[in-house]
Structure formats: C-alpha cells, structure tokens
Amino acid sequence: MKRWIAIGLVLLVLGGIIYYNKFYKQQPGGPGGRGGAQAGGGTGGRGPGGPTPVNVFVVASQNLKDEVVATGSLIAAEQVDIYPEVSGRIVQLNIQEGRSVSQGTLLVKLYDGDLQAQLLKLKAVEENNRRTEERNKQLLQRGGISQQEYDIIATNLKSTLADIEITKASIRRTEIRAPFSGTIGLRNVSLGAVVTPNTLIARLQQTSSMKLDFSVPEKYGQSVKIGSTVSFQIDGSDKTFNGSVFAIEPGVEEATRNLRIRARVANSSANLRPGTFAKVNLTINTTNALVVPTQSVIPQTRGSQVVVIENGKAVFKDVKIGLRNASVVEVTQGLQRGDSVATTGLIFLRPDSPVKVAKVEKLTGNNAAAAGSGAGNSASMR
C-alpha cells in the first residue's frame, strides 16, 4: 500500500512540473514572459537578436554645491528672564502678555512707601546740614572757627547726600523696566503678589531678528567663514529661510568633535519662533563639474562604472565619482563632455552589445538649454 502511495506522489509532482512549463511560463505576466523583462529594463527588453532600447544622457557640466546638512535651533536675538532685585509686594503691573514693549518701559513696581519716607527724612537733614555748612564757611573766613571744625560739618553734609543717593538707588530697585525693546511673554504673577528675587515675573524676547545655532564636523572648520550664507527649513513650513554666519566658536567640542556656528536670520514677518528646530544646509564649495544621472552609475567592488554608447554599442567604462546630490553625480575621471551614457536598460546590456537610443535626456535647471543642444548633436553623431 505504501508503495502505491509513493508512486502516486511522484506522478503528481511530475505532472505539476509539466503543467508549469507548458502553460504558466508562457503567460505574458509569468516569469518567462515579456512582462518580467520589461520590468527590469524600464524601456522594454530587446527582441530576439535585436538591439536593446535605452535612454541616454549626454555628459555636460553643471554647478554642484558641496553642502553640509546639520541640525540647528533658533534662539531670540536678545532674551532675558525678568526677576525682581528685591523682595516686596507688587503695587503696579504693566505687563500685557504677548505684546511688544519699548526699552525703558516700566513693567513692575514694588511697594516703596518706607523708602520714600526715608528719602524725605534725608532731604530734610540735607537741607539743615547745608545751611549749617554755609554759616560755618562764613565763620571760617572771618576766623571764628578752625579749619578742622568746618571740615567736620562739610563731611556731615556729604554723608547725608550719599545716604540720599543710596535711598534713591533702593527705590529704583523696586522698579523693573524693559532692558530692551521686544515681546513680553506669559506672566507668572498678579497684582498684589509678594515676590522675592527667585520669583520669575515673565520672559522678554527680541524676535525681530533671530540667531541660528548649529554644529558641523571639525573637518569643515577651515571652509566656514564669517559671512557664509546658510539656508534652513523648519517643520510645518515649505519655505526656505536664509541666514548669514556672524560668529564661530574658537574651539571644537571635545565630546562630539563638532564646531559650533551661529548665524543671524531676519524675522521681520515674525514667521520664526525661538526654540524651533531647523534643518540647516551650509554650502562649503561650489564647483562646475561633469555630471551624469545617479541611476546611470553602476557600483563595483573597487569603484564605479557607466555604460557609454559608442557606434551603436555598449562600452563599459570605469569612472571616478565626486560630489553628488539627489539627481546627479560628479564624474572626475573616465568621461568627457558629450559622451552618451545609458540611463535605462542597464540590466540587459553586455560589453559590445547592440544598443538603440530611444530617448535623449537633458539637464534641468540653469544649464538645461545648453545641455539640450549638446544632447541633440551627440545623438546624431552616435
């Protein structure tokens, strides 16, 4: 019985293989049909014995930027947390949350009744000491008193004037004024509250211009200069903002081996807020170089290759690449201006295999017009 079961399983497997080879592999979408070949080449596989259709790109020059991408943070141009200098009770509160204030505006006034009374007392003493000093000065001129007696009276007057200035300074310490023009934040106290030097009143920020802090690896330290332009983007906005480097940390951070940089950013439209995360692009160098599309480069174990179309045939050439961006790669060695490089159908190409140019691709951007002219001439010659 077991023997017949084994024979049946063998026949079933053989029948499945025959059915697969005869019917399934012949379907257009199957592994052996045309669909698979077309998926690999992008432009369709070649017919039996015919040339492989490919798109080509004519090598041309383009300005490439060597950029460093970093993360940064926006901070206010000026920022201060407002604390009282002395303890006291708030008797006047002129803080309108979220509003702009001018430099010198009185924000908070603490109770100073005792200091004002002391000031009046000292002014009365000063007036009496001044009259005494004037009388004794006349006596000194007539020889009625000695110089020593007059000096004691004059010293008393000066001491009283000094006490008056000390009291006035104490009164000024009960007043909190805006140190610069800016926007006041949310206040943390109310009228009548008793505060101490540890009580945070509010935060004042100057946001008409901003600072952008970011770090780059130390190897780029020699390339970053005062006045270098940076561009950045923030979450929630597709707009690109620009800034100018105005300060560079003299030393490198030992923990990260990064160099801290600070740029100034205009914020007249108030689109930027302190503390916002920023994705920063810093241009290190701009060069005019020969470029090819990224998809045309074939990675190798010890380098890279591209397929150049010469006389209707595929020629594999070793190249050295340099800078790259999302769409193109700089070729520093191995190609010349005007070479036609295959960008599609690479999986089907073999050395010296016949090729048919289906489409000539062009550069986009500032060099698009020049590239288009070169591409047309190259296609006609090759």
Side-chain angles (χ1 to χ4, degrees), residues 133-151:
E133 186 270 338
E134 290 175 355
R135 289 194 298 267
N136 283 274
K137 186 176 182 180
Q138 295 176 359
L139 292 174
L140 177 64
Q141 293 173 351
R142 297 173 185 175
I145 60 173
S146 65
Q147 181 67 41
Q148 182 178 6
E149 292 174 322
Y150 173 78
D151 289 343

Side-chain angles (χ1 to χ4, degrees), residues 11 29-30 46 51 73 133 258 263 300 303 319 335 340 382:
L11 292 175
R46 58 172 177 169
S73 180
E133 186 270 338
N258 287 339
Q300 301 293 315
V319 293
L335 292 179
S340 297
R382 300 183 187 276

Side-chain angles (χ1 to χ4, degrees), residues 28-270:
R34 292 181 298 171
Q38 290 176 349
T43 60
R46 58 172 177 169
T52 303
V54 297
N55 294 349
V56 298
F57 175 88
V58 179
V59 178
S61 60
Q62 187 181 54
N63 287 332
L64 285 182
K65 295 181 180 179
D66 187 7
E67 294 183 332
V68 178
V69 179
T71 57
S73 180
L74 289 168
I75 60 176
E78 301 292 343
Q79 175 178 303
V80 63
D81 290 334
I82 300 174
Y83 290 89
E85 293 187 56
V86 296
S87 299
R89 176 170 52 86
I90 297 177
V91 295
Q92 188 176 352
L93 189 61
N94 299 326
I95 294 178
Q96 295 184 349
E97 298 168 299
R99 299 293 182 87
S100 298
V101 296
S102 301
Q103 183 178 8
T105 300
L106 178 63
L107 302 177
V108 178
K109 175 64 178 177
L110 302 181
Y111 176 78
D112 64 349
D114 53 340
L115 295 175
Q116 294 290 350
Q118 184 178 353
L119 180 62
L120 290 175
K121 178 182 177 181
L122 290 173
K123 285 184 176 180
V125 174
E126 180 235 346
E127 183 178 355
N128 181 62
N129 288 344
R130 190 177 296 278
R131 288 197 298 265
T132 302
E133 186 270 338
E134 290 175 355
R135 289 194 298 267
N136 283 274
K137 186 176 182 180
Q138 295 176 359
L139 292 174
L140 177 64
Q141 293 173 351
R142 297 173 185 175
I145 60 173
S146 65
Q147 181 67 41
Q148 182 178 6
E149 292 174 322
Y150 173 78
D151 289 343
I152 294 174
I153 296 172
T155 301
N156 290 335
L157 175 61
K158 292 180 180 179
S159 177
T160 303
L161 293 174
D163 289 339
I164 290 175
E165 292 301 319
I166 292 174
T167 304
K168 288 182 178 180
S170 298
I171 293 174
R172 286 194 296 269
R173 294 176 68 185
T174 64
E175 300 175 349
I176 302 177
R177 298 182 179 272
F180 51 82
S181 298
T183 303
I184 199 74
L186 305 180
R187 60 181 172 88
N188 301 309
V189 296
S190 299
L191 184 66
V194 176
V195 296
T196 69
N198 294 324
T199 304
L200 174 62
I201 304 295
R203 175 173 293 178
L204 179 65
Q205 295 178 320
Q206 189 180 87
T207 58
S208 57
S209 65
M210 305 282 287
K211 297 175 183 178
L212 174 64
D213 280 5
F214 62 98
S215 299
V216 299
E218 61 179 331
K219 66 179 181 180
Y220 297 111
Q222 299 298 323
S223 302
V224 182
K225 306 295 182 182
I226 301 297
S228 298
T229 301
V230 299
S231 61
F232 65 94
Q233 291 182 321
I234 60 175
D235 291 339
S237 174
D238 296 331
K239 184 178 179 181
T240 299
F241 302 89
N242 295 316
S244 178
V245 174
F246 75 93
I248 301 175
E249 189 74 33
V252 176
E253 297 178 349
E254 294 184 3
T256 61
R257 299 301 177 186
N258 287 339
L259 183 65
R260 290 189 61 193
I261 300 174
R262 178 168 290 178
R264 182 174 286 108
V265 181
N267 189 34
S268 56
S269 58

